[in-house]
Amino acid sequence: MNIARNTPLKELNTFGIHANAKYFCEISQLEELKSLIQTDEFKTNERLILGGGSNILFTKDFNGIVIKNNIKGIEKIKEDQEHFYIKAYAGEVWHEVVLYCIKNNYAGIENLSLIPGNIGAAPMQNIGAYGVELKDVFKSLEAVNLENGNIETFTNEGCQFGYRTSVFKNELKGQYFIYSVTLRLNKTPKFNTSYGAIQDVLKEQNTPLSIKTISDAVIKIRSSKLPNPKNIGNAGSFFKNPTIPQTQFENLKKDYSNIVGYPLEDGNMKVAAGWLIEQCGWKGKIVGNTGAHKDQALVLVNYGNASGLEIEQLAYEIQNSVDKKFGIEITPEVNII
């Protein structure tokens, strides 16, 4: 284990923002983390655990220690009559875990194909897409308590999952290092094709319905709408879809008949943030070195030389315009540092 100083983070965040870490360390096995916890650099500095860097915006250098989670491995640990249980270690790329499950006919996360980032970050924000959320297949996780080095197990209930959130983004923020995630996957698929354009793409593909064809459809949709961070810096969807009361939604519909919203079990409506942003004229708009993507207004991009502060300012202006036009507050999904 080596603790480096003044380490560039540009290649470790998908926005491609220039920022440095005062201290930096890569962890590939549990023993290294336990050793790191005993060091002065760890004990006396602010900490940031970094996975795939796909949900973070650096607005300044990080004046503490950045810990890159590179612990890897995927294994089936058990099965019963209805389910397979797989354990994936936190440094595994999420999409690689999805492909592993599809290859082995483990059903349940095919709708979550091509979501960027590592699996260790997945429970932190309860990732979701196309009608499926992580909590739907989540069994448990192991996490290292950063104060004492002990491994603790968190169940679905213990993670306190909500919409793009969990206990690890709230009460326990910064207190744990997620080590592994166990998923409960179905032997008999329960196909979910009702969300977005999945059904349309499946018709175009004209192939038998399977977890593989659903995954292929999701990959095609996401690839057509979301820019590849390798080509243009971004962190995917920058904002969460806001939730508003049904009455407010109906009132807005009188003036905006094509407003995009989805009913929730609690009676409220989830409104498409991308639609709101697009109606405010941001889609494809370039502001300095940044802007909202031409194909998806929900995605803020770095055209090559943007600073984190520029992107944060753009986000602030977008929030203000949506609030002014619709009376709706949209909040970042991205972790702003």
Side-chain angles (χ1 to χ4, degrees):
M1 184 193 65
N2 177 51
I3 300 176
R5 292 173 176 267
N6 197 32
T7 301
L9 300 172
K10 181 179 184 296
E11 301 301 321
L12 298 177
N13 72 94
T14 59
F15 260 122
I17 298 297
H18 288 279
N20 292 333
K22 180 181 178 183
Y23 297 107
F24 178 83
C25 183
E26 294 191 59
I27 298 297
S28 298
Q29 50 188 325
L30 187 59
E31 290 72 19
E32 292 175 339
L33 177 64
K34 291 186 175 182
S35 297
L36 177 65
I37 290 173
Q38 304 304 317
T39 65
D40 288 339
E41 289 90 344
F42 182 88
K43 291 179 180 179
T44 60
N45 284 280
E46 184 181 2
R47 310 153 190 162
L48 175 65
I49 298 168
L50 192 62
S54 61
N55 197 49
I56 195 166
L57 174 65
F58 287 105
T59 60
K60 56 184 179 295
D61 289 340
F62 188 76
N63 189 32
I65 183 166
V66 172
I67 307 161
K68 180 74 169 69
N69 188 340
N70 281 337
I71 301 176
K72 295 188 176 182
I74 310 175
E75 58 183 329
K76 185 183 79 171
I77 56 174
K78 68 173 183 175
E79 62 181 280
D80 55 32
Q81 284 190 327
E82 297 182 352
H83 301 106
F84 297 106
Y85 297 82
I86 70 155
K87 176 186 281 191
Y89 293 87
E92 285 288 343
V93 174
W94 171 259
H95 185 59
E96 294 300 320
V97 177
V98 175
L99 295 179
Y100 170 90
C101 290
I102 291 170
K103 179 181 178 181
N104 289 282
N105 205 31
Y106 304 159
I109 56 174
E110 54 277 2
N111 290 54
L112 304 181
S113 297
L114 214 61
I115 291 179
N118 293 357
I119 192 170
M124 291 186 68
Q125 64 179 69
N126 184 27
I127 61 170
Y130 298 100
V132 176
E133 290 185 320
L134 180 76
K135 68 178 179 61
D136 301 330
V137 297
F138 180 89
K139 174 64 176 175
S140 64
L141 65 78
E142 294 175 305
V144 178
N145 186 315
L146 293 176
E147 292 306 312
N148 55 33
N150 294 335
I151 295 179
E152 300 178 22
T153 299
F154 288 81
T155 62
N156 198 313
E157 183 179 8
C159 289
Q160 299 178 26
F161 290 127
Y163 175 56
R164 301 298 175 270
T165 191
S166 72
V167 70
F168 300 105
K169 288 187 76 173
N170 297 295
E171 300 98 299
L172 300 183
K173 184 175 181 179
Q175 297 179 39
Y176 286 84
F177 177 101
I178 294 176
Y179 173 55
S180 73
V181 178
T182 298
L183 305 178
R184 183 183 63 234
L185 300 160
N186 299 320
K187 290 186 172 181
T188 302
K190 299 174 184 176
F191 300 122
N192 189 332
T193 63
S194 60
Y195 198 97
I198 292 180
Q199 289 186 2
D200 294 335
V201 175
L202 288 171
K203 288 177 183 177
E204 292 175 8
Q205 292 175 340
N206 194 29
T207 53
L209 188 62
S210 69
I211 60 173
K212 175 68 164 59
T213 56
I214 290 176
S215 173
D216 289 344
V218 170
I219 290 171
K220 183 175 181 179
I221 295 166
R222 290 184 69 92
S223 297
S224 69
K225 292 170 57 178
L226 302 174
N228 188 333
K230 293 179 181 178
N231 301 326
I232 183 169
N234 73 92
S237 299
F238 194 92
F239 298 100
K240 300 176 185 179
N241 290 322
T243 298
I244 64 174
Q246 176 75 35
T247 51
Q248 184 181 2
F249 183 83
E250 294 301 329
N251 285 334
L252 285 169
K253 201 168 185 178
K254 294 174 183 176
D255 295 322
Y256 307 97
S257 59
N258 61 338
I259 187 172
V260 180
Y262 306 93
L264 300 174
E265 292 181 358
D266 62 7
N268 289 318
M269 294 291 293
K270 183 185 291 185
V271 183
W275 183 89
L276 296 171
I277 296 167
E278 186 173 342
Q279 301 309 303
C280 292
W282 290 103
K283 186 176 181 180
K285 187 173 183 178
I286 298 174
V287 181
N289 295 303
T290 184
H293 194 259
K294 63 182 180 61
D295 295 325
Q296 174 53 272
L298 194 55
V299 178
L300 307 189
V301 296
N302 174 8
Y303 286 111
N305 297 301
S307 69
L309 286 173
E310 279 185 88
I311 296 172
E312 183 182 35
Q313 179 61 31
L314 174 67
Y316 179 71
E317 291 175 11
I318 290 172
Q319 287 174 292
N320 280 346
S321 66
V322 170
D323 189 23
K324 184 176 180 180
K325 186 177 182 71
F326 296 103
I328 295 176
E329 180 182 357
I330 57 172
T331 57
E333 183 175 326
V334 170
N335 185 24
I336 300 173
I337 303 295

